[in-house]
Amino acid sequence: MADPTYGVRHIAIIMDGNGRWAKRKHLPRALGHKKGVEAVRNIVRVAGKMGVEAMTLYAFSSENWNRPEDEISDLMGLLRQYIQSDINEFVENGVRLKVIGNYKVLDADIVTMIDNAIEKTAGNDKMTLAVALNYGAQDEMLRAVQHIATAVKQGDLQPDEIGLEHISSGLDTADLPPLDLLVRTSGELRLSNFLLWQAAYAELYFTDTLWPDFDKKELEQALKSFGDRERRFGGR
């Protein structure tokens, strides 16, 4: 039987298009986000059954704070609901929850819920679900460089000893497999400050499908596209 993942160990998704999905259907924007959460739930289940080791989802960027307050409130409410409703399923299915970005600035009750969920799923090893919250790749790399600078200042590391591995090990994704495939929905053709370092040699896949409509078939197409490509990593 063929590998349904086509060798993809780590897939990341920029989940875009909730608002446009709602607009096209003449529905409130909040319902688009709610439908987007349902798509998250479905895709995590499907990816786990396929055997994907890690999935990183761009849930809330550091730039999303510029959105209207009522939309931010709706998003945070959905985050609360998702954690509460799905944590037991994570445990049952062996999913480890990881959060990248500075989620500690969120409301105290959300931070507590996240910390508890991370602790409760820490021993799971079937799949890691990394959720990017208040995340920006440039900030992530800045923090990694600051950590290196501190090590140099303290005399633990010499400048000429600094290698790529020192940056990689300082990133939020250091304990995840290398990124194989980065998917963006809704037809936008940019990375939007997401996993910039990790995407250096990842395959990119763009689809016009809006995130709420991204289902098992769409995921299979993205994985097949990866399988049809020849990865050279800079070689010939």
Side-chain angles (χ1 to χ4, degrees):
M1 181 177 177
D3 178 6
T5 71
Y6 291 89
V8 172
R9 299 177 61 203
H10 182 186
I11 180 173
I13 305 178
I14 300 175
M15 307 176 294
D16 196 12
N18 292 345
R20 274 167 285 174
W21 182 90
K23 185 176 181 179
R24 289 180 184 179
K25 295 181 178 296
H26 307 287
L27 296 171
R29 192 175 179 87
L31 288 183
H33 291 311
K34 184 176 181 180
K35 185 67 174 179
V37 170
E38 294 176 8
V40 168
R41 183 175 289 115
N42 179 54
I43 288 301
V44 171
R45 290 169 178 166
V46 170
K49 290 178 180 178
M50 285 181 170
V52 173
E53 291 182 37
M55 173 175 281
T56 301
L57 302 179
Y58 206 5
F60 193 86
S61 76
S62 51
E63 289 76 27
N64 285 156
W65 293 110
N66 296 321
R67 295 188 177 188
E69 289 186 11
D70 59 342
E71 183 174 356
I72 294 175
S73 179
D74 288 338
L75 288 168
M76 293 302 139
L78 287 171
L79 177 59
R80 290 182 176 93
Q81 293 176 23
Y82 180 69
I83 297 174
Q84 290 176 334
S85 63
D86 285 49
I87 184 62
N88 289 333
E89 184 174 339
F90 286 175
V91 173
E92 293 172 3
N93 294 333
V95 177
R96 177 175 74 101
L97 178 64
K98 176 181 176 66
V99 176
I100 65 174
N102 183 18
Y103 72 92
K104 296 291 187 178
V105 303
L106 302 181
D107 290 345
D109 68 308
I110 296 180
V111 173
T112 298
M113 291 173 61
I114 292 173
D115 286 339
N116 289 340
I118 291 173
E119 181 179 357
K120 191 171 184 178
T121 63
N124 295 347
D125 58 8
K126 183 176 180 181
M127 184 178 82
T128 296
L129 172 63
V131 180
L133 290 173
N134 192 30
Y135 171 89
Q138 291 176 334
D139 173 72
E140 178 188 32
M141 288 187 284
L142 175 61
R143 287 186 279 110
V145 170
Q146 289 173 333
H147 180 75
I148 293 171
T150 298
V152 172
K153 183 178 180 180
Q154 294 176 344
D156 298 327
L157 183 67
Q158 296 301 311
D160 59 0
E161 295 175 338
I162 298 173
L164 297 178
E165 69 277 6
H166 291 97
I167 296 179
S168 295
S169 64
L171 299 178
D172 297 343
T173 57
D175 62 337
L176 298 180
L179 182 62
D180 295 308
L181 176 63
L182 193 154
V183 175
R184 180 163 191 156
T185 63
S186 87
E188 301 293 346
L189 305 177
R190 57 182 179 271
L191 298 183
S192 295
N193 200 19
F194 183 53
L195 302 182
L196 299 181
W197 180 275
Q198 297 88 335
Y201 284 105
E203 296 296 321
L204 307 182
Y205 179 85
F206 299 98
T207 174
D208 290 334
T209 301
L210 301 176
W211 174 247
D213 293 327
F214 193 90
D215 56 13
K216 178 182 179 181
K217 182 179 179 180
E218 294 285 342
L219 179 61
E220 289 174 341
Q221 289 177 347
L223 293 171
K224 184 178 185 303
S225 174
F226 174 91
D228 289 340
R229 304 180 193 184
E230 181 181 354
R231 305 184 78 190
R232 298 187 180 89
F233 299 97
R236 298 181 62 183

